[in-house]
Amino acid sequence: MKKIAIITLVFTLAVTLLLSGCSLIQPKVESIQTSDGEIIVGEQISWPDSNMGGLSKPNANIVTVIKARSSGSCAVAFSDMSSDAASQYIATLKQQGYQSIIETADTSGMLFSGSKADGSTVVFAYSSDSNDGTITFTPNQANTSIQESTSAQT
């Protein structure tokens, strides 16, 4: 759990610095790899197709990618997305088979959390105030839970 908290903290700090422009020298792309995963931060980062379970690339600038090795989860932070593009992305998620668990929209943004029949989940969060947000994909965790339970019993 501490590893997830550390990755989340690094992700939040990286996104905050990138989106606020507080960096003196903005690198094009920086990557940090650990035994737990990888964090990629920069400008115009490629969409991580192989880690996003077939999700479509949004019409936005990808600024951060966080890949978790143990769970197979991947989180992407984006910027420069219009409200119309965000609405369309939610519609695309539904077309890709994600059933809504939580869906809300108001003047400050949109949130969609959905799951597929195969057990994979996606969370899309968008802020219309700053035109940025995140997409998190998590594959079916049934196999991971079984492995963790088995190793905890031994």
Side-chain angles (χ1 to χ4, degrees):
M1 194 59 149
K2 287 183 181 181
K3 293 175 187 177
I4 293 172
I6 290 171
I7 288 175
T8 302
L9 177 61
V10 171
F11 173 75
T12 303
L13 291 172
V15 170
T16 301
L17 286 175
L18 280 174
L19 297 179
S20 67
C22 291
S23 172
L24 295 176
I25 300 173
Q26 213 171 49
K28 290 188 179 181
V29 175
E30 290 291 329
S31 177
I32 301 169
Q33 294 190 15
T34 70
S35 60
D36 297 321
E38 180 180 19
I39 301 170
I40 304 167
V41 180
E43 303 169 355
Q44 305 287 332
I45 297 172
S46 299
W47 179 250
D49 283 316
S50 62
N51 301 95
M52 293 300 283
L55 294 178
S56 303
K57 180 189 180 299
N59 185 14
N61 181 25
I62 308 302
V63 294
T64 305
V65 175
I66 299 177
K67 303 173 188 175
R69 283 192 177 90
S70 61
S71 67
S73 296
C74 187
V76 173
F78 59 84
S79 64
D80 305 322
M81 178 183 262
S82 69
S83 291
D84 288 340
S87 295
Q88 181 57 45
Y89 195 77
I90 291 172
T92 300
L93 291 173
K94 291 176 182 178
Q95 289 171 353
Q96 291 178 321
Y98 287 93
Q99 298 294 314
S100 176
I101 297 170
I102 298 171
E103 185 174 359
T104 185
D106 61 22
T107 58
S108 64
M110 300 172 207
L111 174 69
F112 175 86
S113 176
S115 66
K116 269 183 145 176
D118 68 2
S120 61
T121 61
V122 65
V123 177
F124 173 81
Y126 170 77
S127 169
S128 48
D129 295 334
S130 55
N131 295 329
D132 62 12
T134 60
I135 303 166
T136 304
F137 170 77
T138 305
N140 182 336
Q141 296 298 297
N143 293 334
T144 304
S145 299
I146 291 169
Q147 290 171 352
E148 289 175 3
S149 297
T150 304
S151 59
Q153 293 174 358
T154 56

